[in-house]
Amino acid sequence: MARQRIHNRRSGRGSSGTGASWISYSDMMAALLLIFVLVLTYSLYQYFTMLETKTKELDDQRLILDQQSVQLKLAEDNLNDKEQKLIVIQGDLDKLKIDLNDKEKELENLQVILVSKEADLEAATLKVQEQQDALNAQALRIDSLIGIKAAMIKDLSDSLSSSNLKAAVDPNTGDIKLDSAVFFETGKSTIREEGKELLDQFIPVYLEVLLRDKYADYLGEIIIEGHTDSKGTYNSNLKLSQDRALQVALYCLNMPGLTREQKAKLQQILTAKGRSSSDLIMVNGVEDPDASRRVEFKFSLKDAEMIDEMNRILSGE
């Protein structure tokens, strides 16, 4: 076309100016069109290049977004797990709160019981203290009684010895054994004159010691016991021993050498007992009949049973 146009121009050099102008205009339009095409082509190239770049960037962003979506999903799942764990923990916490409330109620109940127990303990402690005080008082009483009895036994021994009376005093009990043959004939309960003489000497000395002012408040009882050997039946020996003890007691109560006060006191504390053959005197495992037939004078102090029980406890019986 360009060649044609040149040819035409050369062949038409003689044409009019209008045709030349038209050809210049056409060339100009063709040039403009070419420039437009070039600009459009470059623009399209730039557009597609930019589009490719943007597409690649978009793909990269989409990939990043997908990765973030995955991470978000993982985070959401993790959050859901944590929420489930939180629900479980909250449930455990609620249960613990309930248990805590129950424990607090139990603690309150225990505190009430503790207060009650403390009151009981204080009362028990006070009672124990009172019992301890009473026990201490009893211990002092026992010590006093033991000391009193020992002093009475010693005074009895000393007084009988100084009066030349052959009557042995048991150093532990204060019991005095008198030979029954001196008082009675065999099988009899009437006191012989020899026995009366012995009682007239023995009883004043015996009572003088036991009824002294320092012992009078402690003396509880004087016991006259009659004993037999094993000959005969128990029942007959019981009657005989009782009759003998009674005769000795009556003789003592009616003894003219006693003062009115001594007789009055004796009436309050004197007891006669028959023991039959229940307490025989044994020598090397064999009965001694002469020693078994006897009259015993015994005395006991007030609270003597308490002393005996305490002695049994202390001796482990």
Side-chain angles (χ1 to χ4, degrees), residues 45-215:
Y45 173 79
Q46 291 292 330
Y47 171 76
F48 283 109
T49 301
M50 184 179 64
L51 180 61
E52 183 180 359
T53 302
K54 295 297 182 180
T55 301
K56 186 175 182 306
E57 291 178 356
L58 184 61
D59 291 338
D60 292 339
Q61 290 179 355
R62 184 178 290 110
L63 179 61
I64 294 173
L65 183 61
D66 292 339
Q67 292 176 350
Q68 290 178 347
S69 297
V70 172
Q71 293 177 353
L72 182 62
K73 183 65 169 61
L74 293 176
E76 185 178 358
D77 293 340
N78 188 25
L79 181 60
N80 290 332
D81 291 339
K82 290 182 178 179
E83 287 179 351
Q84 293 297 324
K85 291 180 180 179
L86 183 60
I87 292 173
V88 173
I89 293 173
Q90 185 64 43
D92 293 339
L93 183 59
D94 293 338
K95 184 178 179 181
L96 288 174
K97 287 181 178 179
I98 295 174
D99 293 340
L100 181 60
N101 292 331
D102 293 339
K103 295 299 182 183
E104 288 178 349
K105 292 180 180 178
E106 292 179 1
L107 181 59
E108 291 176 357
N109 293 333
L110 288 175
Q111 288 176 342
V112 173
I113 295 174
L114 180 61
V115 171
S116 176
K117 294 297 182 183
E118 287 177 349
D120 293 341
L121 180 60
E122 290 178 359
T125 302
L126 181 60
K127 185 175 181 180
V128 169
Q129 185 61 46
E130 291 175 352
Q131 292 176 344
Q132 184 64 44
D133 293 341
L135 184 60
N136 292 337
Q138 287 182 347
L140 292 175
R141 177 72 174 171
I142 289 172
D143 291 341
S144 176
L145 289 175
I146 292 173
I148 289 294
K149 190 164 187 178
M152 292 172 73
I153 292 172
K154 183 179 183 304
D155 287 349
L156 272 176
S157 298
D158 294 342
S159 295
L160 292 175
S161 296
S162 62
S163 299
N164 295 321
L165 289 171
K166 295 180 180 180
V169 182
D170 188 303
N172 296 318
T173 64
D175 298 346
I176 299 175
K177 296 181 178 65
L178 300 178
D179 187 355
S180 180
V182 176
F183 293 96
F184 309 101
E185 295 179 0
T186 302
K188 303 293 183 179
S189 60
T190 302
I191 302 175
R192 298 170 57 185
E193 290 300 323
E194 183 180 358
K196 293 178 180 179
E197 292 177 2
L198 177 57
L199 289 175
D200 289 340
Q201 296 176 4
F202 171 75
I203 292 301
V205 176
Y206 187 72
L207 294 181
E208 189 277 329
V209 173
L210 297 185
L211 299 181
R212 289 177 182 175
D213 291 340
K214 61 180 180 179
Y215 302 139

